[in-house]
Amino acid sequence: AMQVHYGPGMERMDLEGNATAGNVMIVRYDKGVTWIVMPQLHAYLELPNRIGDDIVAVAQSLALQPVGRERINGLATTKYRIDGKIKGFMWLGQKDIPVQIDGDVTVGEKAKPLPTHFEQSHIRIAPQDPALFEVPEGLSRIKLKDARWLGLMQQFLGGAEP
């Protein structure tokens, strides 16, 4: 579970639950950077541009064909058949916010399709504080120099093979 904030060219995911330690992922498509903020460690990681690029590539790969309208989690949505790196169905709500996705996701050249269910609820449309999309002051940057760690992070976050 997570709380998600969107702004033009920006996305922030506040991971919830004890196992996540309050970590946050901030993707700045507009700056070509992805940060993992780890408040309990008073630190953050800056990931390679390709993480955000992989997320954008998945979105841009999708061909959408409207197939009807449905209510999902109490929200009026348009249901689309999707084809591309995700094959299945997507329900978009107000301002084209994805409310639900059901299908098989393939990320990476040699990856096998993985069944995926994505659902957003409690959606509120409101102005976002720009500070939500920046690394908080006072945190130390952790530098991952070992290519194996970078590959592992990319595989974990993007589903792609290193």
Side-chain angles (χ1 to χ4, degrees):
M2 67 182 89
Q3 183 172 12
V4 182
H5 301 268
Y6 295 100
M10 318 179 256
E11 192 170 354
R12 174 189 172 116
M13 290 151 271
D14 295 354
L15 305 174
E16 298 176 351
N18 293 336
T20 65
N23 292 344
V24 174
M25 185 165 96
I26 301 171
V27 182
R28 292 294 303 263
Y29 305 105
D30 59 340
K31 292 184 175 183
V33 67
T34 300
W35 295 302
I36 303 295
V37 178
M38 299 167 282
Q40 289 187 355
L41 297 177
H42 304 286
Y44 72 98
L45 289 169
E46 186 170 308
L47 301 176
N49 295 352
R50 66 182 181 263
I51 302 291
D53 293 346
D54 285 348
I55 296 169
V56 170
V58 168
Q60 290 176 343
S61 81
L62 302 178
L64 298 148
Q65 177 185 8
V67 295
R69 300 191 54 76
E70 291 182 17
R71 289 195 79 73
I72 303 290
N73 293 327
L75 299 170
T77 67
T78 301
K79 181 179 181 180
Y80 294 89
R81 178 178 311 281
I82 52 176
D83 192 20
K85 293 181 188 250
I86 304 173
K87 295 183 185 311
F89 294 95
M90 176 188 297
W91 292 259
L92 298 179
Q94 186 179 2
K95 296 196 178 227
D96 289 333
I97 294 172
V99 176
Q100 185 169 309
I101 299 172
D102 281 312
D104 294 321
V105 176
T106 305
V107 179
E109 302 262 336
K110 300 175 187 176
K112 293 181 181 172
L114 296 173
T116 299
H117 174 79
F118 166 87
E119 190 174 323
Q120 295 195 98
S121 59
H122 308 294
I123 296 172
R124 292 182 314 216
I125 298 174
Q128 301 294 304
D129 181 350
L132 288 171
F133 305 102
E134 298 292 339
V135 174
E137 289 186 32
L139 299 183
S140 299
R141 181 176 175 188
I142 298 173
K143 294 184 180 183
L144 293 179
K145 295 180 182 178
D146 186 330
R148 293 173 293 184
W149 278 108
L150 291 173
L152 181 62
M153 291 300 291
Q154 182 174 7
Q155 186 174 7
F156 175 72
L157 294 171
E161 292 186 25

